[in-house]
Amino acid sequence: MAAATPLPVAELIARHQDTLDRAVAAAGSRDYWSPYPEFPKAYGENAAADGKAAFDALLGREFALPGHPDGGEPVTGEASPYGIDMGIAYPHAEPDALLAALEAARPAWAKAEPAARAAVCLEILARINARSHEFAQAVMHTTGQAYGMAFQAGGPHAQDRGVEAVAYAYAEQTRLPRSAQWTKPQGKRDPLVMTKEFTAVPRGTALLIGCNTFPTWNGYPGLFASLATGNGVLVKPHPRAVLPLALTVRIAREVLAEAGFDPNLVCLAAEREGSAIAQVLAVRPEVKLIDYTGSTGFGDWLEDNARQAQVYTEKAGVNTVVVDSTDDYRGMLNNLAFSLSLYSGQMCTTPQNLLIPRTGIRTEDGERSYEQVVADLAAAIDGLLGDDARAAAILGAVVNPGVLQRSAAAAGGELGELALAPRVVASPEFPGATIRTPALVKADADKPDDLSRVLVECFGPIAFAVAVESTAAAVELLHRTTVEHGAMTAGAYTTDPEVETALVDACLDAGVSLSLNLTGGVYVNQTAAFSDLHGTGANPAANSAYSDAAFVANRFRTVEIRK
């Protein structure tokens, strides 16, 4: 590996101290704050073109990670949902080599002060931020997100979550004083005097198991929480979304080397589709921390089998919206239409079940029946996505064959009566992209077959308009669904204070965050770093939250030395 330009840690600390202080303060105030602009044009007139050129230069080549463990056949097979051939070959190494490299790299990093580790992490994030347009291309062509969303969610918003994790990690590691003088009076005798030192000691090697849909947004919290608390991180991307995390690993290794640390503190475990390397790595005794986003089945397996590790999971859930009443009917419909359409519903926070009393709802213009509400929502979705170019920019591309199969099943009537059928959208820019509009399916909570169908996660562009007996029945079903099946989000529309109280009580008891009466530019499936918690860890959909103290505090332990 070529010699890195030295970057003194003291200089890094001074460079990033203001960002760290402001991040810690923002996490306490919960008001809006971000260190990074979310608008693409803020990065310079030529930044988008430069990012595209940098992405193009990666295609069809070996991905270089100087000094990284190697020795196997390079990993290939990554393909863009937009139909372009990527052809990138990633270095491959066996678990023994990867874990040995990480273990050898850990001691010096573990001894570094929390401020030094935080500064190194913030330098990594700052360099990632400077290349946000390149990352947007990488996220777009591995996840199927449209470019605008890939830039924001895969770029600055993901980076925000990384900074947030660093801030929490730093705050928790410095909560106790580094040293303290202990004096115990003994009456007429001399007091007992001791010096006590408290040192944050990392747990060990961390394993990050990346997801296909949001590799950076879901990956950065765990990656930087582990790194900032002194642990090395083995990054195992999803085989269909390697590039965004491979770029992250490359930049992290460059910064670590410049700061005088072993770059093997961050390694890449690329795998081919169908490989079981995650299962092998997850139970290795060296692995003490695991971060995972993905299916419930594998998340449950990790929790049951990786007993040597602290496991943080975000799994599947069934997100619910209760529609009782509104004083902005058009705003409600438009907000729901966008929430159901964004990224073709391929978000863990997208609503699936809309619970609507079969007797109808109250609006500012009078009563609307269940049938009217469903028809009006279908029309709002249709209007939003009527133009193919606009639709493609909102929907992105279908991320995997399973989503496409579910969309086809809905189109064929297999999931129930259609209020709105999905349609094929053609992308003028990417003729090879697979794009589908949402399906809106009618269901009746009193019919056992319908109820059993809507209580299963149906990931992708499919939503169920579920007729329920009353608002009280809707609140009860929201509570039951969350407790039994989990949810990342819940939403509701009501103008009735008593209904609002019942909804709040149900969500507090079930452990799911609630968004009430969203009719403007904030959507139930979006959360803001430093203000909103993503997940709660209080229902089956996830056992942790981005980010709170619990997400970082068990990644290290405090060891006391008394003198």
Side-chain angles (χ1 to χ4, degrees):
M1 183 175 182
T5 302
L7 188 60
V9 170
E11 179 183 325
L12 282 179
I13 293 173
R15 181 184 300 178
H16 296 290
Q17 190 64 52
D18 180 64
T19 299
L20 181 60
D21 291 343
R22 294 179 70 187
V24 171
S29 72
R30 314 310 287 183
D31 197 0
Y32 172 78
W33 179 76
S34 171
Y36 307 123
E38 65 178 354
F39 300 107
K41 291 183 179 179
Y43 291 79
E45 184 178 347
N46 299 318
D50 291 344
K52 177 66 163 59
F55 169 75
D56 288 343
L58 296 168
L59 302 180
R61 299 184 180 182
E62 291 191 7
F63 189 90
L65 284 176
H68 190 276
D70 203 348
E73 185 72 21
V75 173
T76 59
E78 199 175 28
S80 169
Y82 286 93
I84 71 168
D85 182 22
M86 295 181 68
I88 304 173
Y90 299 96
H92 174 73
E94 293 302 317
D96 284 347
L98 291 166
L99 292 170
L102 280 152
E103 289 296 301
R106 284 199 306 112
W109 184 244
K111 291 178 181 179
E113 289 294 320
R117 294 195 293 250
V120 170
C121 289
L122 293 177
E123 177 67 17
I124 295 168
L125 284 159
R127 294 193 191 182
I128 290 171
N129 173 256
R131 295 166 62 176
S132 288
H133 279 282
E134 180 184 355
F135 272 82
Q137 293 286 340
V139 170
M140 175 183 179
H141 285 290
T142 53
T143 70
Q145 294 177 32
Y147 187 78
M149 182 177 184
F151 179 87
Q152 288 193 338
H157 293 176
Q159 298 150 18
D160 283 347
R161 286 294 184 188
V163 174
E164 179 184 53
V166 173
Y168 271 101
Y170 176 77
E172 291 305 311
Q173 289 175 100
T174 56
R175 188 172 298 282
L176 298 181
R178 186 67 178 85
S179 64
Q181 190 82 1
W182 184 82
T183 304
K184 181 178 180 180
Q186 296 292 296
K188 294 181 179 180
R189 293 176 293 170
D190 290 340
L192 297 175
V193 180
M194 298 186 77
T195 298
K196 303 186 179 185
E197 297 178 350
F198 303 92
T199 302
V201 177
R203 297 292 290 266
T205 293
L207 173 64
L208 170 65
I209 304 175
C211 67
N212 191 181
T213 49
F214 289 90
T216 56
W217 199 97
N218 278 108
Y220 283 2
L223 169 60
F224 287 101
S226 289
L227 200 59
T229 49
N231 306 282
V233 184
L234 180 53
V235 178
K236 203 295 296 180
H238 191 284
R240 288 193 292 266
V242 182
L243 183 56
L245 290 179
L247 286 169
T248 302
V249 168
R250 178 191 277 175
I251 293 170
R253 292 172 62 85
E254 290 171 354
V255 173
L256 286 163
E258 290 174 25
F261 296 100
D262 190 330
N264 284 332
L265 277 163
V266 180
C267 288
L268 182 73
E271 68 168 336
R272 297 168 184 84
E273 190 83 32
S275 170
I277 192 173
Q279 289 175 289
V280 173
L281 292 169
V283 295
R284 287 287 296 248
E286 301 96 326
V287 172
K288 302 300 184 184
L289 298 162
I290 298 175
D291 286 276
Y292 168 76
T293 300
S295 70
T296 297
F298 191 57
D300 289 345
W301 185 91
L302 287 170
E303 292 170 358
D304 292 340
N305 291 277
R307 298 297 181 88
Q308 85 293 347
Q310 178 73 29
V311 180
Y312 300 88
T313 59
E314 181 190 307
K315 302 177 288 189
V318 179
N319 303 318
T320 302
V321 174
V322 172
V323 183
D324 168 70
S325 54
T326 180
D327 57 8
D328 184 0
Y329 185 61
R330 180 52 53 188
M332 179 190 79
L333 293 174
N334 290 339
N335 192 280
L336 285 173
F338 189 82
S339 296
L340 297 175
S341 302
L342 184 62
Y343 186 30
S344 300
Q346 298 171 126
M347 304 171 68
C348 63
T349 51
T350 300
Q352 175 176 303
N353 296 339
L354 312 177
L355 309 184
I356 307 166
R358 61 173 50 88
T359 54
I361 70 168
R362 297 184 308 279
T363 78
E364 71 274 23
D365 296 321
E367 300 286 330
R368 290 289 189 278
S369 69
Y370 164 84
E371 294 290 345
Q372 286 176 303
V373 173
V374 175
D376 290 345
L377 178 57
I381 297 171
D382 215 19
L384 176 68
L385 305 175
D387 175 74
D388 274 6
R390 174 181 170 84
I394 295 170
L395 295 167
V398 171
V399 72
N400 64 50
V403 173
L404 188 60
Q405 290 166 8
R406 286 187 287 276
S407 178
E414 297 175 34
L415 303 184
E417 181 186 350
L418 284 167
L420 179 66
R423 70 178 182 85
V424 175
V425 173
S427 168
E429 187 177 2
F430 297 102
T434 301
I435 306 174
R436 299 291 184 273
T437 61
L440 184 60
V441 182
K442 293 182 180 180
D444 191 325
D446 289 344
K447 295 180 179 178
D449 287 348
D450 284 10
L451 186 60
S452 64
R453 189 179 297 119
V454 304
L455 290 180
V456 176
E457 188 199 29
C458 199
F459 185 72
I462 299 160
F464 295 94
V466 185
V468 293
E469 186 62 31
S470 63
T471 295
V475 175
E476 191 281 329
L477 184 54
L478 163 64
H479 181 273
R480 172 188 163 188
T481 301
T482 304
V483 169
E484 294 180 0
H485 304 279
M488 293 302 295
T489 59
Y493 292 88
T494 185
T495 57
D496 186 326
E498 292 184 4
V499 172
E500 180 175 325
T501 298
L503 284 160
V504 170
D505 289 345
C507 290
L508 291 174
D509 188 71
V512 62
S513 297
L514 173 66
S515 296
L516 281 165
N517 300 320
L518 301 184
T519 57
V522 176
Y523 304 93
V524 67
N525 41 354
Q526 296 174 322
T527 58
F530 307 104
S531 183
D532 296 319
L533 295 172
H534 175 73
T536 64
N539 71 67
N543 70 4
S544 58
Y546 304 158
S547 282
D548 58 11
F551 186 67
V552 300
N554 214 20
R555 297 173 191 262
F556 70 95
R557 307 309 295 163
T558 302
V559 177
E560 178 183 355
I561 306 295
R562 303 192 299 179
K563 302 177 184 179

